[in-house]
Amino acid sequence: MDVTVPDLGEFSDVEVIEVLVKAGDVVGVEDSLITLETDKATMDVPSPAAGKVSEVKVDAGSVVSSGDLIVVLESEEPKAEETNDQPARESAEVEESAGSAADSEPKFKPDAEPAAEPAAKAEPRLVNVPDLGDFSDVEVIEVLVAVGDEVEAEQGLIMLETDKATMDVPTPVAGSIQELKVKVGSRINPGDAVALILPSAADAPADNGTTESPRQPAPANVADAPPSAPPGPVAFDQTTALPAVGVVDETAFSRAHASPSIRKLARELGVDLGRVRAGGRKGRVTSDDVKAFVKRTLKEGIAGSALPEVPTVDFAKFGPVEEVKLSRIQKISGPRLHASWVNLPHVTQHDDADITELEKKRQSLKADAQSKNVKLTPLAFIMRAVVLTLAEFPQFRSSLSADGQKLIVKDYYHLGFAADTPKGLVVPVIRDADSKDVYELAEALGELSSRARDSKLGADDVQGGVFTISSLGGIGGSYFTPIINAPEVAILGVSRSSFKPIYDGTEFSPRLMLPLSLSYDHRVIDGAQAARFITRLSETLGQVDRLMAALP
Ligand code: CAO
């Protein structure tokens, strides 16, 4: 079977950037044979049938056009229908980026239309998702610009990824980004709004004398991108459980210069593409680069700290079993928790805080709060106490720099809290918790946890935390070892309070004691600091007036 280049629409002389098979290889239907690259997209040409490659007719660097012979295949089941259908289907796949011959523009070139009535003055223009051929619900893997950025015409705004191609959506006009309508992880369809752009003078009508300076990115955006923070893709489907170090850096992954098939290979092997040295043409990562990376990592692992494996057991030999699939959140949070556990030396410090007075205060405010539709649980007070304590202990709101040589201390107080949802554990983040009193903290807590349970959290709701609280107080138990939400350096575990006889030097009296468990990264925090932190936190929980004081 002769496998040819499918219909590339108006494109011709497209460069082959990678040949993914060689003579003798056995391929399956849909296995990628070569990768093509135009200036707008990279795309794989898949095999229309299963079989053995008998001859490869192109090299990396050759240029091809529709109909050119790529590979001769000894097909196992050369069904006429398959052979005929495939190029047509492929052509649709390629068309999603290459455009039909009838169009004067490539199909992925975005439409830009005035957001408002055209006027003599420069009006913001809306850039929409272009025609994506037969793709829909395509994932945004990267947002390449921020609000306030000045962009050139044709500069990429976002990057999309299907299982066949990654592609930029460029802006048709130069100007400044006024608003972004999508986030990493958003799923988009043709016609959806991407960004609002105020065209620059050159792209604006002649009499437009606008001198509007670009806005600076909002501080929240800065906060959302700490140097080592894992990025957001996990966030879009509310699966941001516990991000950790040692896992794939999604931002670097999406920026890596690699074709869809290499991305797929890297995903399958769990390779952090951003860390792979690119040895291909034009700085591309090839399959050999990925394999070399895996070999090196394995070698280093074996020589260094490879983990002994847990034995696999056929449980069915011992009795009836049932297989239950892990939820999406569990699949993502599991490796992240594991990465944190094996990469960060955890120590957990326990203490009991006397919250007798605090609880009296809470009970006295509960009804009033309820009338305002706020559920005032102990957690809101604990959050306030944590914020006050974090203000005194900057290391606890820091992260280690990527090279491990510096501490990055964050001067903002976005507090994460673990929320138990039907789909698994997620960690919503309360922004600027230091500017909220206990009522406002309780309100934010209620609102975010209810959205978490309804799977309605957005990317911004689960990013940028500096410290996390995991409260099992509503459930029970006393003390546990919470796993640090890396790259944060500490996490507070809260268990259920109970009355205990406390000796005051003269007599025992019943006091309501709250069990606290502080896990910390021993590379950053030493035991004495942790003991000081938890002691101060316990004291603060006893200082009801301080917790209730008006915010400065
Ligand atoms: N001691 C005693 N009682 C407590 C308490 C504590 N430390 N914390 C909460 N309670 C009480 C509350 O006051 C409430 O009682 P009332 O209904 O009588 O007022 C009840 O327990 C239930 O509280 P809640 O759980 O609904 O609310 P919360 O603000 O304490 O917690 C949230 C909110 C989202 C953190 C919680 O619902 C949740 O999901 N917890 C699980 C977190 C988790 O899974 N962590 C483990 C992570 S590691 O796997």
Side-chain angles (χ1 to χ4, degrees):
M1 176 192 291
D2 285 351
V3 181
T4 56
V5 176
D7 182 4
L8 296 175
E10 64 167 334
F11 284 102
S12 61
D13 291 340
V14 176
E15 188 175 351
V16 177
I17 54 161
E18 200 170 354
V19 178
L20 305 159
V21 291
K22 56 182 183 324
D25 282 358
V26 174
V27 294
V29 184
E30 289 289 312
D31 281 0
S32 297
L33 301 174
I34 59 170
T35 305
L36 304 178
E37 185 179 60
T38 69
D39 58 343
K40 294 286 186 294
T42 56
M43 64 204 89
D44 285 356
V45 176
S47 177
K52 192 170 170 188
V53 175
S54 61
E55 218 179 330
V56 179
K57 296 288 195 183
V58 290
D59 298 317
S62 354
V63 284
V64 293
S65 300
S66 309
D68 286 356
L69 184 61
I70 311 169
V71 155
V72 180
L73 199 66
E74 284 172 35
S75 178
E76 286 164 357
E77 294 170 78
K79 285 184 203 149
E81 270 169 52
E82 258 182 6
T83 330
N84 295 339
D85 271 351
Q86 196 62 26
R89 191 180 49 69
E90 282 171 359
S91 108
E93 279 157 6
V94 177
E95 269 179 18
E96 47 89 16
S97 42
S100 74
D103 292 340
S104 58
E105 298 290 349
K107 278 196 174 176
F108 52 71
K109 190 151 185 182
D111 303 297
E113 57 190 35
E117 288 290 309
K121 272 191 67 154
E123 291 287 340
R125 296 174 70 185
L126 204 53
V127 178
N128 295 327
V129 178
D131 185 352
L132 298 172
D134 52 1
F135 284 100
S136 60
D137 213 23
V138 176
E139 183 174 354
V140 176
I141 58 163
E142 195 172 357
V143 176
L144 304 161
V145 291
V147 171
D149 280 2
E150 290 290 345
V151 289
E152 304 287 328
E154 293 299 312
Q155 186 177 330
L157 299 176
I158 56 172
M159 196 185 280
L160 307 179
E161 184 174 65
T162 68
D163 57 341
K164 294 284 185 294
T166 53
M167 64 200 95
D168 285 358
V169 174
T171 165
V173 290
S176 70
I177 307 284
Q178 301 286 289
E179 199 182 334
L180 283 165
K181 305 278 190 185
V182 294
K183 297 173 184 161
V184 169
S186 305
R187 295 205 164 255
I188 55 175
N189 289 294
D192 288 355
V194 175
L196 199 59
I197 295 186
L198 185 70
S200 58
D203 272 300
D207 63 343
N208 166 40
T210 181
T211 52
E212 183 174 319
S213 55
R215 268 185 272 152
Q216 291 304 307
N221 291 344
V222 178
D224 283 350
S228 53
V234 280
F236 90 93
D237 55 358
Q238 340 298 233
T239 50
T240 300
L242 297 177
V245 293
V247 294
V248 172
D249 177 340
E250 292 291 343
T251 307
F253 192 104
S254 61
R255 283 193 185 136
H257 206 31
S259 66
S261 51
I262 299 303
R263 289 173 183 283
K264 193 168 167 233
L265 177 69
R267 290 264 183 231
E268 280 167 6
L269 297 174
V271 167
D272 190 350
L273 209 48
R275 289 174 54 208
V276 178
R277 198 193 56 80
R281 291 167 53 78
K282 296 187 185 170
R284 290 201 150 264
V285 179
T286 65
S287 55
D288 284 346
D289 296 334
V290 174
K291 288 174 196 161
F293 180 86
V294 172
K295 275 188 203 152
R296 205 176 56 242
T297 311
L298 277 175
K299 219 191 253 171
E300 283 166 6
I302 290 160
S305 57
L307 293 173
E309 281 192 14
V310 174
T312 312
V313 175
D314 177 9
F315 302 106
K317 280 199 311 200
F318 305 107
V321 295
E322 185 195 353
E323 286 192 357
V324 181
K325 283 206 172 124
L326 291 182
S327 72
R328 213 177 144 71
I329 293 181
Q330 285 171 315
K331 281 192 212 155
I332 290 170
S333 63
R336 286 170 181 236
L337 288 162
H338 188 198
S340 175
W341 187 247
V342 296
N343 282 291
L344 275 59
H346 281 65
V347 179
T348 306
Q349 169 72 61
H350 303 284
D351 197 9
D352 285 330
D354 185 338
I355 58 162
T356 318
E357 303 310 319
L358 175 57
E359 183 58 13
K360 281 183 198 155
K361 184 73 180 177
R362 185 179 80 90
Q363 290 300 342
S364 73
L365 299 173
K366 219 171 144 183
D368 176 49
Q370 215 149 13
S371 70
K372 293 176 185 140
N373 243 346
V374 176
K375 191 174 174 197
L376 205 52
T377 62
L379 192 50
F381 296 86
I382 296 166
M383 283 181 165
R384 181 78 194 126
V386 164
V387 166
L388 292 172
T389 313
L390 281 176
E392 296 174 32
F393 292 84
Q395 313 90 308
F396 285 78
R397 47 184 157 89
S398 74
S399 285
L400 264 181
S401 62
D403 61 5
Q405 302 299 304
K406 290 185 295 263
L407 271 191
I408 298 157
V409 178
K410 291 154 245 175
D411 279 329
Y412 48 81
Y413 295 79
H414 305 329
L415 265 196
F417 65 95
D420 187 25
T421 77
K423 290 186 181 164
L425 175 68
V426 291
V427 185
V429 174
I430 298 182
R431 303 251 149 228
D432 300 313
D434 56 323
S435 64
K436 292 183 166 55
D437 62 22
V438 283
Y439 284 98
E440 289 164 328
L441 287 169
E443 204 178 338
L445 183 60
E447 194 262 331
L448 280 168
S449 38
S450 120
R451 277 203 284 130
R453 287 190 186 109
D454 296 342
S455 301
K456 286 196 178 136
L457 293 175
D460 281 352
D461 296 324
V462 288
Q463 291 185 71
V466 297
F467 182 94
T468 299
I469 302 177
S470 175
S471 172
L472 294 173
I475 303 169
S478 47
Y479 313 111
F480 61 107
T481 306
I483 297 182
I484 300 164
N485 190 2
E488 293 168 19
V489 294
I491 181 167
L492 180 73
V494 178
S495 300
R496 195 167 187 79
S497 58
S498 62
F499 278 99
K500 289 189 176 166
I502 301 296
Y503 190 63
D504 63 7
T506 319
E507 57 178 4
F508 284 97
S509 48
R511 306 291 297 174
L512 186 63
M513 305 304 286
L514 178 72
L516 301 175
S517 308
L518 177 76
S519 291
Y520 57 92
D521 181 345
H522 210 344
R523 297 171 305 172
V524 176
I525 293 163
D526 60 36
Q529 281 172 319
R532 281 188 203 104
F533 181 94
I534 205 164
T535 306
R536 183 65 177 147
L537 177 65
S538 297
E539 265 170 32
T540 307
L541 283 164
Q543 297 168 344
V544 179
D545 292 344
R546 209 170 145 228
L547 294 176
M548 299 305 299
L551 297 173

